[in-house]
Structure formats: structure tokens, C-alpha cells
Amino acid sequence: MAAAIGVAAVMGASMAWAAQAASSFAGRATAAATAATDPVQATAKAVATPVSLAKPAPTAGAPIRLALIEGLSGPLGNGGEAVFRNLVWATERVNARGGVKLPGGARPLEIVRFDSKGSVEESLSLLRGATDQGIRVVLQGNSSAVAGALIAALDKHNAREPGRRALFLNYAAVDPVLTGAQCSFWHFRFDAHTDMRLAALVEVIAQDRQLKRLYLIGQDYSFGQHLREQARAMLARRRPDLQVVGDELHPLGRVKDFMPYASKIRASGAQAVLTGNWGNDLTLLIKSARDLGLDTRFYTFYGNALGVPGVLGEAGVDRVLAVAEWHPNVGTADSERFYAAFRQRFPRPEHDYLHARMQLMVEMLVAAMEKAGGDDPKAVALALEGLRLDARPLGVAHEGWMRPADHQLQQPLYVSVMRRAGEAGVAHDNEGSGYGFRTLRYLDPARAEQPSTCRMARPG
């Protein structure tokens, strides 16, 4: 394979971190990796060389490897690295309590990093590399286009090579087609899909009777295209009086200057913007709006992280809304403990990016493996179907139910608005910015649920 990969084995919070160089994925010798004070950062830099950051305990069974296929470099690499930190913490927590408890003995979890650079072609090549290594669980999320390609490839692979099957756990690719027309027995989604998130935002928009003019802008790929169409349909039903004064898609991850887009928003007279943008595409868009002095509200899927609060500052107060399955100011005792533990593990402000769904995903995988008695993909998939897990006793302030019909996780959703840290309902800021998010609307899993259109083909 032409592309080389980086590997991080995470074997428990209490173990000493160590780094050592290994051969390249193609078997060629490579230079030794340089250790860093932050092991996660050391791994992030070693994307061209397999690097083991920790050794399993001598008595531990063979690690259960999880292949993270994600864009860990390039214009949207910050999102991939943020995901990696979440998964590091999730696996550390499992390993610290003894690993996955199976009939043949407990086995630790190990993350194997594959840097796809956000490319569909590279992701497919890396999937082949992961299955060639016998890895049985693939993790990906930061692109619905990549996720769709992985689902199709994995369906063919699993049918062709039943002895080397793999599961695909999706933590962020939210195009509804992935659990709709393209649903697969081998794919499980742990994020709320576009229609679920959008319905929550539209519920808030519908109650803002002062809002008359709205601008739609998004990334030009499957997720952004679906969001554009579904937003128009939902708004027409809930707010037929609302005028959509702009509707635009832009290239994913390639726009360096969003000022022309911000100028169009100002010229349209829009009072609010609805966008599914994520990563730098969101940060740069909102920064341009701020620099232009736009007095508009931003209804976002991801406006509460990855630099957005710090970029906006006071200009974002009461203007930026986000929807998520959890946020740091939920305010329960479980949530406070959960968030405090993450910040203790990752104290740097720029690493303040915690998603409860990614933690729940790993915990549900472990529960399914323990129920199945091993890591056989078909047995684990059957154990995941219908699984309900309240992860609060495990240190995760989240719960969910995996709907068997389409493998779409059902979970709560929160719509929150940016406010100053220290105000009522805003005990914590985001990324050291001095600004956090306060809950505006809570939807329980039944309220957040959307109908299933999946017609799943199941293995014989």
C-alpha cells in the first residue's frame, strides 16, 4: 500500500507511556519517532510511522484493535485529532478497569490510527490495510462521503471474505442515507443524524417569531446537500412565513477566505444563518461574519467547539446556537464528574472537545463484546442490536438505545446558546474562551427520534 499509517496503542491510564519506532506499514525501516511530553501529541505527529505508545500489562490478553480511519492531517485535521483524544480517553477508561471481560480472559483495547487525510480513495485503501491486518472494528465519522464509501466497501468485503469480517462504528457521519437507503447490518451510527439535529434546531427557529429572513449555507458534499434540502422542507412545514433569502454550498475544506460569503449574507438582509459546517469551514465562516460586523444569529450543528467560541468572543453571545447530545453545562452531578475527569486528562484549553456519544460508543462496543463472548463481528453486531446502556455508572454522562431496524442510536439532544461563562447555567466555558453554552431546549430520546426508512439485508 502506498500510504503509510500511524499507530497508537492505548493500554490504560495508569500505565507509563513509552514510544518506540517500528517498521513502516509496507515493511520498510523508518526513522525512530521522537517522544513528546504529551503522548497524544507525540502520536499525532508520527502519522508516517507505526508507533507504540504503551505496552499491555504482561498478564493481559491479546489486544482488541480498533482501526480509526480519519483525516488526521490537512485542513480539517483538527477535527480528526479531537476525535482521537476522545477515543484515547474512552479506551483508557476501559483498560483501567481491566479491559474487555471475555471467557478466555480480559483483553485490552488498542487504537490503530490510519490518517486518510479526508480522502475517500485513501480511506478505502486504509480499510483494506486494516482488514488485511485482521482488525475487526473500524471507526470513522468526519465525512458522510467517506462513511458511505466505507459502508459499500465493507458490505462487499464481508460477503466475499466471511472469515475476515469487520464492523463499522460511526461517531459523526450524519447523512440520514447511511441508516436509510444505504443501511447495512455491519454499520452502526452513534451520532444523531442530520434530520434529528435539524428538527431540534427548527423547533427553536419555529418559536422565534421575530425571525423573518434566513440564509442557508453548507459544505458541498452528501451531508451538506441533504441538509439543504431537508432544511427547506422542515421550515416550510413549521415556518411557512419564513423567507429563505440565500441558499449556497461551498467546497469542503478548501475555502480559505469566507469574506465573500459573509458579504452575500449581509447583502441578503438575513437575520439568521443555518449551517451544518464543521471544523475550519465553520470557524472561518463565523470569523468572517464577525469581522464584517454581521448582527445575525447562527444556528449550527457544531458551533460550540474547535475554536468557534474563542474566535467570536462577545460577538457570539446570544448569536451562536448549537445542537448536541451533551454539553459541559448540562448541570447534573454525573455530567460535572464526567467533564471534570476529561479536563483532568486533557487540561490544555485547546483540547477541550468532549463528546459523550464517542464515550458511549466505546462502552456499548465493550458491552456487546462481553455479551457476545468475543469480538466476532456478526456476534457483536447481533449483541449491539437493541442494546440499551446507561453509561453513568461507568463514568459517562450519557445513555442510549441502538434501534435494531436501522442501527441508529436513539439518544437525548440539547440545543444551547452561547453565553458568558459564570452566568446562570454557564458554569464552564469552552476552550478557555471565557464563553460557554446554556441549554435552551432539551429533547428526550423519544422526542428526538425520527422514522426509519431502512430495508436492511441481513447475513444468512
Side-chain angles (χ1 to χ4, degrees):
M1 183 185 301
I5 62 170
V7 178
V10 185
M11 294 300 169
S14 61
M15 299 177 186
W17 290 94
Q20 65 179 19
S23 61
S24 70
F25 179 67
R28 296 183 294 270
T30 57
T34 302
T37 55
D38 184 340
V40 176
Q41 287 301 100
T43 311
K45 294 174 183 176
V47 294
T49 305
V51 176
S52 175
L53 291 182
K55 300 284 189 172
T59 57
I64 296 173
R65 293 177 295 165
L66 314 178
L68 173 63
I69 299 178
E70 195 54 88
L72 300 167
S73 59
L76 300 173
N78 59 338
E81 288 297 343
V83 165
F84 177 59
R85 286 190 293 274
N86 271 263
L87 297 176
V88 164
W89 192 51
T91 54
E92 284 178 344
R93 189 175 53 249
V94 171
N95 292 338
R97 64 175 188 255
V100 185
K101 297 172 177 59
L102 300 175
R107 295 172 63 185
L109 295 176
E110 175 182 321
I111 301 173
V112 185
R113 289 165 56 101
F114 292 77
D115 182 10
S116 70
K117 305 174 183 63
S119 161
V120 171
E121 293 76 14
E122 189 81 3
S123 298
L124 292 173
S125 177
L126 294 173
L127 175 64
R128 289 192 294 273
T131 55
D132 284 347
Q133 292 185 51
I135 297 177
R136 293 180 157 191
V137 179
V138 173
L139 313 174
Q140 185 271 339
N142 284 358
S143 168
S144 290
V146 170
L150 290 178
I151 290 172
L154 203 54
D155 278 349
K156 293 178 182 177
H157 168 83
N158 287 352
R160 185 174 59 249
E161 300 190 52
R164 292 199 300 154
R165 287 169 170 164
L167 284 181
F168 175 19
L169 306 189
N170 165 11
Y171 48 77
V174 295
D175 189 338
V177 73
L178 303 178
T179 48
Q182 200 181 345
C183 66
S184 166
F185 177 80
W186 308 106
H187 166 254
F188 292 82
R189 175 158 47 200
F190 291 83
D191 197 354
H193 64 59
T194 303
D195 294 356
M196 299 167 76
R197 286 174 173 264
L198 181 60
L201 287 176
V202 169
E203 192 165 311
V204 176
I205 290 173
Q207 295 188 349
D208 183 0
R209 306 311 300 185
Q210 300 301 312
L211 177 58
K212 303 296 183 183
R213 298 179 302 280
L214 180 73
Y215 201 102
L216 301 177
I217 185 169
Q219 296 153 316
D220 193 7
Y221 73 112
S222 56
F223 160 57
Q225 293 158 7
H226 176 88
L227 174 57
R228 172 195 215 176
E229 296 174 7
Q230 194 65 13
R232 281 188 169 275
M234 285 190 184
L235 290 168
R237 290 194 298 269
R238 295 297 305 276
R239 282 292 306 273
D241 62 308
L242 187 63
Q243 183 182 3
V244 176
V245 295
D247 186 349
E248 189 151 15
L249 295 176
H250 62 80
L252 172 66
R254 298 206 300 269
V255 178
K256 305 301 182 185
D257 180 10
F258 275 88
M259 191 59 72
Y261 295 96
S263 298
K264 290 181 184 179
I265 294 170
R266 182 174 65 178
S268 73
Q271 298 166 285
V273 174
L274 174 59
T275 181
N277 277 22
W278 54 273
N280 283 339
D281 283 346
L282 178 62
T283 306
L284 294 175
L285 170 64
I286 297 184
K287 181 179 184 298
S288 294
R290 182 206 64 185
D291 292 346
L292 202 59
L294 288 185
D295 186 21
T296 54
R297 264 195 161 189
F298 277 81
Y299 290 87
T300 78
F301 279 31
Y302 308 109
N304 55 351
L306 288 177
V308 173
V311 165
L312 278 180
E314 194 68 17
V317 172
D318 280 332
R319 292 196 180 98
V320 174
L321 290 82
V323 59
E325 77 284 352
W326 173 89
H327 66 94
N329 292 310
V330 164
T332 65
D334 291 316
S335 179
E336 291 295 309
R337 286 191 292 270
F338 175 56
Y339 184 56
F342 181 80
R343 293 310 314 279
Q344 182 177 11
R345 175 63 180 89
F346 294 106
R348 293 168 60 174
E350 64 270 28
H351 290 171
D352 180 16
Y353 182 93
L354 172 58
H355 284 290
R357 67 179 184 272
M358 297 180 193
Q359 307 304 313
L360 183 68
M361 177 183 74
V362 172
E363 295 294 355
M364 291 185 76
L365 173 64
V366 170
M369 285 180 171
E370 291 179 346
K371 181 179 178 181
D375 62 350
D376 174 72
K378 182 178 178 181
V380 175
L382 291 171
L384 271 173
E385 288 189 328
L387 179 64
R388 294 180 184 270
L389 184 65
D390 180 351
R392 287 173 292 187
L394 300 171
V396 178
H398 201 40
E399 58 186 321
W401 168 60
M402 183 56 69
R403 187 164 63 184
D406 57 357
H407 296 181
Q408 171 64 56
L409 185 72
Q410 305 302 312
Q411 59 190 321
L413 288 176
Y414 293 83
V415 178
S416 58
V417 63
M418 185 169 160
R419 296 290 303 172
R420 302 172 191 87
E423 295 181 353
V426 194
H428 307 289
D429 70 354
N430 288 67
E431 303 170 338
S433 64
Y435 300 89
F437 283 73
R438 183 183 68 202
T439 298
L440 279 181
R441 183 67 50 82
Y442 167 78
L443 287 78
D444 63 27
R447 186 75 180 273
E449 188 172 2
Q450 295 283 315
S452 171
T453 60
C454 171
R455 298 291 182 268
M456 186 179 294
R458 306 175 68 82

